[in-house]
Amino acid sequence: MSSDVTSIERRQFDTLIIGAGGGGLRASLQLAEADLSVAVVSKVFPTRSHTVAAQGGMNAALANVSPDNWHWHMFDTVKGSDYLGDQDAIEYMCRAAPKAVYELEHFGVPFSRLDNGKIYQRAFGGQSQNFGGDQASRTCAAADRTGHAILHSLYQQNIRAKTHFFDEYFAVDLIKDDEGHVLGAVIFNIQNGQIMVIEAKTTLLATGGAGQLFKTTTNALINTGDGMGMAMRAGIPLQDMEFFQFHPTGIAGRGMLITEGARGEGGYLVNGDGERLMERYAPKAKDLASRDVVSRAIAVEVREGRGCGPNKDHVLLKLDHLGEAVIQKRLPGIRQTCITFLGIDPAETPIPVFPTAHYTMGGIPTNRFGQVVVPVKDTPEEPVAGLYAAGECACVSVHGGNRLGGNSLLDILVFGRAAANHIIDYLKENKYHRSANEESVNEIVAKIKRYDQPPSSSDTASETVANLRKELKQTMEDHCSVFRNKEILKEGVDKVEQLAERMKNVRIDDQSFTFNTAKVEAFELENLMACALAAIHSAYAREESRGAHSRTDFTERDDKSWMRHSLYSFENGLDYKPVRTKPLSVESFPPKPRVY
Ligand SMILES: Cc1cc2nc3c(=O)[nH]c(=O)nc-3n(C[C@H](O)[C@H](O)[C@H](O)COP(=O)(O)OP(=O)(O)OC[C@H]3O[C@@H](n4cnc5c(N)ncnc54)[C@H](O)[C@@H]3O)c2cc1C
């Protein structure tokens, strides 16, 4: 593609949504139904977004299986977050949850049913009745394919509502005007390389997480933190990136997820001595303790020589006692995964598991209306005009230091909808398109075209995307994993800095038909690098253990010094802002020791 900038196609919409997962599609549906013109850009066909892979379900206090209410759900979420979650956003989400589920039901999501016809709810980690009492069952499920059901229903509703889709287009960077309003993005068509400028009065980032930062992950190859990279390049800091969730039950050595629902249905973990290990680490909740707790327990068992298998490098998840009928009814997807990838049937043989990178708790800072917020002078947060974020790329923050299973599908739907509602109001006051700063548009176009030049003979020392990505993933796995300390993190900081430096010399050799996908991979790596810098710097600086951030040299939570959100930007490095501890209508939950 060699057209000059003036000939580049431009399209105008009220709202540009980057990302067609559950977050993006819930927002686009709300906007399209309000008769606004809305464009959804997605680098993969919408129903291939990672939301499709969600297995276990979505939390809402429906009380269909055990007594429940939103306030108990709120308590569990605040405790699960290790008191780093913002309590206004958490209250809002937990109160909105039942409505979000009923909406989905009306959109056509085929939830599993109880015998009385009500929506089936399973027990998940960190769920309790009565503020820390008995186990609750709060996770609404469509067997173990909940995300698949939700994403397909939302897509169909969007087609009906006439949302405009740009499928298999890659968004590179945000465009702005001279006053800092965000006005859309420059994208390119992955099939033919054609560049396009989408001008929009409002832009919503819904690009999902960054699990590809790590070598072993449950995340899809597309989860490369693109929106987070775009935000950082637009001068917006990333929040709480040191908090990365490791799911306790990834298939050992491969990373594919075995849903927490497997333990919710009665499965449990055993070590090499045949012991039910969680009884020691969480006497009450056992296998349904919070994810950070279970992941650490498995890592300790293996480290202390009580692992399973010839290398004693994993533990076993036992499901065979549940019986084939329960497994086939409630967990058909993971049964198939085990048969296909391991050649074992969990109805007969326990599954080898080990913690694997799963969920990005941090992200682009927003308030509970989905507005992206940044510190300005003495205020901890002021909205960036025209820019919104929702879903896993955002940090609102309802998950704080550790997300509870089943709270992410809830988060993306509740805040996708909330962002759309705020956009509808914003557009009533901001009726007209503004002019973008053309220089910044030209710079992005030039950046895309940079890779069009074949490498010259003097470029022999240039770096390949594949090698750098491999090194980055290994570095993050080795230096920013379940357990961390000063030395390991310091080495990690140095290595990631060096990799980011080497990134400047990346060239694409391949001018063949795969050229555009090679270009996509180069931009994805640039975004991963930004996320990695934010994560490793924030982790190195945080001298305490909280949620998923577990330091062997600072083993206690330190509320006096560290009950605050980290912010990392290219311009200012590290900064911090207070946790919003005040809920909307109830008393705040003060920090307490976290036991399960
Ligand atoms: C295997 C697995 C199982 C899970 N199970 C559960 C569960 O049971 N319950 C639960 O609550 N949570 C679960 N989660 C977490 C949850 O599914 C995700 O956090 C959530 O679905 C993310 O939704 P999203 O809309 O933010 O992003 P995604 O669904 O990841 O969608 C991101 C979208 O952004 C687009 N995109 C990204 N970058 C670009 C770009 N540069 N240009 C154009 N488009 C771009 C992609 O094409 C995609 O459409 C699970 C996660 C995984 C990985």
Side-chain angles (χ1 to χ4, degrees), residues 18-24 41-46 48-59 124 146 151 169-172 206-209 218-220 222-224 226-227 230 257 259 291 358-359 390-393 403-410 412 527:
I18 306 176
V41 173
S42 174
K43 63 181 174 179
V44 294
F45 189 78
R48 299 185 72 106
S49 306
H50 189 64
T51 298
V52 82
Q55 301 176 351
M58 160 177 175
N59 296 341
F124 246 54
T146 314
L151 195 62
Y169 277 78
F170 188 88
V172 178
T207 48
T218 64
N219 279 206
I222 54 174
N223 293 357
T224 48
D226 295 353
M230 280 182 238
L257 180 73
T259 173
R291 286 185 180 168
H358 184 56
Y359 183 84
E392 195 170 332
C393 71
R403 169 180 78 96
L404 292 189
N407 263 357
S408 176
L409 288 176
L410 177 61
I412 66 177
N527 293 323

Side-chain angles (χ1 to χ4, degrees), residues 120-303:
Y120 171 69
Q121 297 190 278
R122 58 165 56 111
F124 246 54
Q127 300 183 344
S128 75
Q129 301 178 41
N130 207 10
F131 310 107
D134 292 345
Q135 175 73 41
S137 292
R138 190 176 290 140
T139 305
C140 307
D144 60 357
R145 298 181 180 122
T146 314
H148 184 274
I150 292 175
L151 195 62
H152 280 260
S153 298
L154 282 175
Y155 182 60
Q156 286 158 9
Q157 292 294 334
N158 271 281
I159 295 295
R160 186 186 52 77
K162 303 205 165 34
T163 298
H164 193 107
F165 281 97
F166 290 91
D167 296 341
E168 301 188 354
Y169 277 78
F170 188 88
V172 178
D173 266 316
L174 298 169
I175 56 180
K176 289 190 193 175
D177 69 4
D178 294 331
E179 290 162 41
H181 287 72
V182 173
L183 301 173
V186 181
I187 66 176
F188 71 88
N189 180 327
I190 299 173
Q191 193 186 4
N192 62 17
Q194 204 90 32
I195 299 173
M196 191 189 278
V197 178
I198 306 259
E199 297 177 327
K201 298 172 202 165
T202 48
T203 304
L204 170 71
L205 293 167
T207 48
Q212 285 299 320
L213 276 173
F214 294 89
K215 187 176 160 205
T216 316
T217 172
T218 64
N219 279 206
L221 283 168
I222 54 174
N223 293 357
T224 48
D226 295 353
M228 300 179 203
M230 280 182 238
M232 264 183 83
R233 288 189 297 277
I236 294 157
L238 295 185
Q239 180 175 323
D240 294 342
M241 288 296 285
E242 64 272 45
F243 295 98
F244 205 95
Q245 179 164 80
F246 297 87
H247 196 293
T249 58
I251 293 183
R254 315 204 182 182
M256 286 94 123
L257 180 73
I258 303 297
T259 173
E260 188 166 298
R263 281 169 287 137
E265 297 294 341
Y268 57 86
L269 297 165
V270 289
N271 66 15
D273 300 336
E275 235 185 320
R276 186 167 174 186
L277 61 106
M278 283 313 298
E279 285 177 347
R280 260 186 294 127
Y281 298 88
K284 196 160 122 213
K286 298 192 180 80
D287 294 83
L288 288 177
S290 220
R291 286 185 180 168
D292 54 337
V293 176
V294 184
S295 285
R296 277 194 290 274
I298 298 173
V300 168
E301 289 295 299
V302 166
R303 198 173 59 193

